[in-house]
């Protein structure tokens, strides 16, 4: 009977600690973001216009990524094409046909000398970008999932690649050896999006999933260090705030949300009654004051992250906006769409 007493004492202690934790959380939860932002000026000076259209894909564009050189863009499409563009001249510098359709993720390495991509082939493949005509001869399959690869990103080095997959896991691979360095298990649905914490020493990343959750992971331990709930449907896109202290999410529930990691909770909701279509992609301006969101109703909304108000609406695409990304220096926005085109706004 003694052991039973011990168990009940420990249970009581655990309950006590839980309520203390909740008290501490409430102390941090002292003021709402929108009330603090009331005294801020409304953003009125935005003058963002369409500047370029990149035409060449003959199928839905699913993903794109700016090169660190702030000039080139890699994009991937439903028919298996990977195109490297000069965003200024709109020239196509390389085109690769993947051995699969639905290339859902593509990404530039920090050096700008490699691109990675993958999709329904369940693999992540790396291509060195050389001056040769055919870069596909040098391709290297690095890692394999048990379902489609939805997204990939180089974690601050050309030596490794981090992937998200329909098998509900993320994985970190060594590019040279193809070895799995770390698996990330925790989501209960397809992983749809990942993003790295912005600090260079960053060993954390965020993932968004069909299980409606966003998780913050420790890349070294493979553990979830924080989780955020609130969305009513798939989390299609996740992005770190430039400060590294918050993340934004975009979901099929037609909302974007801002979660603060220090307050451990949702601090802003970006929605309107008139917005009934899903959010496929989100990104921040360099300052973090603006949140760009691409929707399935072909529009792009710009939100004031502090006031949680929409400040601008961009029209131009003729189908779902599948991917958007602010350029590395913050001077331009690229958007990719199921209308087969990419657009550059500035």
């Amino acid at each position: 009977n003694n052991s039973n007493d011990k168990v009940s004492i420990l249970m009581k202690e655990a309950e006590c600690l839980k309520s203390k934790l909740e008290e501490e959380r409430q102390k941090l939860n002292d003021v709402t973001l929108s009330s603090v932002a009331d005294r801020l000026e409304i953003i009125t000076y935005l003058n963002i216009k369409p500047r370029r259209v990149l035409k060449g894909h003959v199928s839905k564009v699913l993903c794109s990524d700016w090169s660190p050189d702030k000039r080139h863009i890699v994009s991937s499409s439903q028919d298996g094409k990977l195109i490297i563009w000069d965003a200024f001249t709109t020239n196509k510098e390389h085109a690769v046909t993947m051995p699969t359709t639905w290339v859902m993720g593509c990404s530039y390495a920090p050096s700008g000398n490699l691109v990675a991509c993958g999709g329904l082939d369940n693999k992540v493949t790396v291509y060195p970008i050389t001056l040769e005509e055919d870069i596909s001869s040098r391709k290297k399959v690095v890692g394999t999932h048990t379902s489609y690869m939805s997204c990939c990103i180089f974690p601050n080095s050309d030596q490794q690649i981090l992937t998200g997959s329909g098998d509900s896991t993320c994985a970190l691979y060594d590019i040279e050896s193809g070895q799995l360095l770390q698996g990330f298990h925790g989501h209960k649905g397809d992983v749809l999006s990942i993003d790295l914490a912005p600090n260079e020493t960053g060993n954390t990343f965020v993932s968004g999933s069909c299980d409606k959750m966003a998780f913050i992971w420790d890349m070294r331990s493979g553990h979830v260090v924080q989780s955020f709930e609130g969305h009513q449907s798939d989390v299609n896109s996740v992005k770190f705030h430039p400060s590294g202290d918050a993340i934004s999410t975009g979901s099929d529930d037609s909302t974007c949300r801002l979660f603060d990691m220090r307050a451990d909770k949702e601090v802003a909701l970006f929605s309107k009654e008139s917005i009934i279509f899903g959010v496929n992609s989100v990104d921040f301006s360099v300052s973090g004051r603006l949140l760009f969101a691409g929707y399935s109703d072909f529009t792009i909304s710009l939100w004031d992250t502090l006031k949680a108000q929409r400040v601008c609406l961009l029209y131009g695409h003729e189908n779902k906006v599948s991917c958007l990304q602010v350029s590395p220096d913050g001077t331009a926005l690229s958007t990719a769409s199921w209308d087969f085109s990419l657009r550059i706004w500035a």
Side-chain angles (χ1 to χ4, degrees):
N1 203 21
N2 201 359
S3 63
N4 281 357
D5 291 347
K6 275 187 185 154
V7 168
S8 63
I9 288 166
L10 286 171
M11 293 285 277
K12 273 185 190 143
E13 263 182 39
E15 284 306 312
C16 191
L17 283 169
K18 264 189 192 160
S19 59
K20 273 189 186 158
L21 275 170
E22 194 46 48
E23 268 172 41
E24 289 302 317
R25 276 189 66 182
Q26 291 308 323
K27 277 184 205 164
L28 292 172
N29 182 10
D30 49 0
V31 61
T32 66
L33 184 62
S34 54
S35 67
V36 177
D38 274 345
R39 55 196 171 77
L40 291 171
E41 294 288 311
I42 291 169
I43 298 171
T44 51
Y45 51 84
L46 290 172
N47 183 29
I48 299 177
K49 292 192 165 75
R51 307 290 179 182
R52 300 280 188 277
V53 182
L54 307 183
K55 289 185 169 163
H57 281 291
V58 292
S59 186
K60 295 170 182 171
V61 188
L62 304 178
C63 189
S64 62
D65 190 30
W66 282 97
S67 165
D69 70 12
K70 314 177 192 59
R71 178 169 184 131
H72 292 87
I73 289 176
V74 63
S75 62
S76 63
S77 62
Q78 186 195 341
D79 61 357
K81 279 276 191 296
L82 195 70
I83 297 178
I84 292 174
W85 310 81
D86 182 324
F88 286 86
T89 63
T90 73
N91 287 344
K92 294 178 255 321
E93 296 195 353
H94 294 284
V96 174
T97 306
M98 288 282 289
T100 177
T101 57
W102 287 88
V103 184
M104 294 167 182
C106 59
S107 137
Y108 259 102
S111 66
N113 299 328
L114 292 173
V115 291
C117 63
L120 283 190
D121 56 355
N122 302 1
K123 298 182 177 80
V124 57
T125 304
V126 173
Y127 293 89
I129 301 168
T130 54
L131 297 172
E132 296 162 38
E133 278 304 291
D134 182 27
I135 61 173
S136 61
S137 58
R138 306 259 309 275
K139 76 171 181 186
K140 178 174 178 128
V141 174
V142 173
T144 308
H145 281 274
T146 55
S147 180
Y148 66 90
M149 192 212 82
S150 57
C151 46
C152 59
I153 196 161
F154 289 84
N156 302 321
S157 107
D158 281 32
Q159 276 72 56
Q160 298 171 355
I161 186 85
L162 181 67
T163 57
S165 168
D167 63 16
S168 78
T169 71
C170 303
L172 181 67
Y173 295 102
D174 178 74
I175 288 172
E176 189 57 41
S177 66
Q179 189 184 350
L180 175 67
L181 300 174
Q182 187 66 260
F184 303 90
H185 304 265
H187 278 298
K188 294 182 169 69
D190 306 19
V191 176
L192 301 176
S193 174
I194 51 177
D195 188 41
L196 290 176
N199 42 352
E200 264 62 59
T201 56
N203 288 299
T204 52
F205 71 95
V206 59
S207 62
S209 162
C210 283
D211 63 11
K212 311 177 193 171
M213 300 289 288
F215 286 170
I216 311 285
W217 301 84
D218 182 318
M219 216 180 297
R220 290 167 297 186
S221 71
H223 296 317
V224 177
V225 290
Q226 220 167 350
S227 63
F228 295 109
E229 61 187 351
H231 279 295
Q232 315 283 298
S233 189
D234 301 8
V235 178
N236 293 323
S237 183
V238 287
K239 200 77 197 184
F240 265 96
H241 186 274
S243 67
D245 292 324
I247 58 154
S248 173
T249 52
S251 165
D252 274 348
D253 67 11
S254 75
T255 72
C256 306
R257 292 168 201 246
L258 185 67
F259 295 96
D260 186 285
M261 290 159 68
R262 291 172 299 184
D264 196 33
K265 70 190 241 318
E266 181 184 311
V267 289
L269 174 67
F270 306 93
S271 67
K272 287 168 84 77
E273 276 184 17
S274 57
I275 301 177
I276 56 171
F277 287 87
V279 186
N280 303 310
S281 188
V282 292
D283 199 7
F284 287 100
S285 61
V286 166
S287 70
R289 180 72 192 267
L290 290 175
L291 180 69
F292 298 86
Y295 293 79
S296 291
D297 64 358
F298 320 165
T299 64
I300 296 130
S301 285
L302 278 62
W303 296 90
D304 180 329
T305 55
L306 299 176
K307 289 182 174 289
Q309 293 171 359
R310 188 168 69 186
V311 290
C312 184
L313 196 52
L314 304 178
Y315 298 96
H317 281 295
E318 289 154 30
N319 206 327
K320 163 174 154 169
V321 179
S322 51
C323 184
L324 61 73
Q325 192 187 29
V326 174
S327 65
D329 58 4
T331 57
L333 173 77
S334 70
T335 57
S337 166
W338 282 18
D339 66 10
F340 304 1
S341 77
L342 292 99
R343 284 162 198 262
I344 312 296
W345 315 74

